Amino acid sequence: MNSKFPMMKVLPMITVLAVSLSFKACGQSKTPKSETATTIKETQKMDTDKLTNATVKAAFDAWQNGDSKTFLSYFAADAKLYDDGNLRNFQSFVKEACGHERFTSIEKVENEGKDITGNFHTESWGDFKTYFKFSINAEGKFNRLDIGQAK
């Protein structure tokens, strides 16, 4: 009977130790919020090598980064926006959407690199296929942007 007594003392201590280590391990496995944000941002990057027009690529990159000031710098002051063929206020659209909406993939690029079709994400409407079609004026600024849901 004396041989079992030491084991009875050790078993509860092993159990306590194992439980306390598992709590510590669980606590250590959590990713800090700052690291989570970085990981999410890194996974949102996509290959933009399909964008062959340098001005479109620069504007697209600004849009993807939520940089409305830089995005607008590529457009003429009187630029027009057509959303599924309907005229909208361009400045208001950029202010509301830039930084909240983005492409998640590029499926095709056409019209000398000025037309982009791909998957798009919005905070209010979710995910869907869309297009951005850039029109360039004689000064090299975009004077029209057509956007809409692609088929």
Side-chain angles (χ1 to χ4, degrees), residues 44-61:
Q44 291 175 351
K45 290 181 182 179
M46 72 173 134
D47 182 16
T48 58
D49 288 344
K50 293 179 183 180
L51 302 177
T52 56
N53 182 299
T55 310
V56 168
K57 184 176 184 336
F60 183 89
D61 287 343

Side-chain angles (χ1 to χ4, degrees), residues 8-18:
M8 293 169 86
K9 279 185 166 179
V10 173
L11 189 57
M13 287 192 313
I14 291 173
T15 305
V16 169
L17 182 60

Side-chain angles (χ1 to χ4, degrees), residues 103-149:
F103 279 87
T104 56
S105 68
I106 299 170
E107 289 186 10
K108 66 182 171 180
V109 178
E110 301 174 307
N111 188 23
E112 299 174 349
K114 295 179 286 196
D115 298 354
I116 303 168
T117 303
N119 292 314
F120 199 72
H121 174 79
T122 70
E123 292 174 359
S124 34
W125 298 103
D127 300 301
F128 53 94
K129 188 184 284 190
T130 195
Y131 63 83
F132 273 31
K133 296 181 179 186
F134 296 85
S135 298
I136 301 175
N137 66 17
E139 291 80 39
K141 293 269 190 176
F142 299 120
N143 59 349
R144 178 175 173 151
L145 178 62
D146 287 86
I147 63 171
Q149 191 164 350

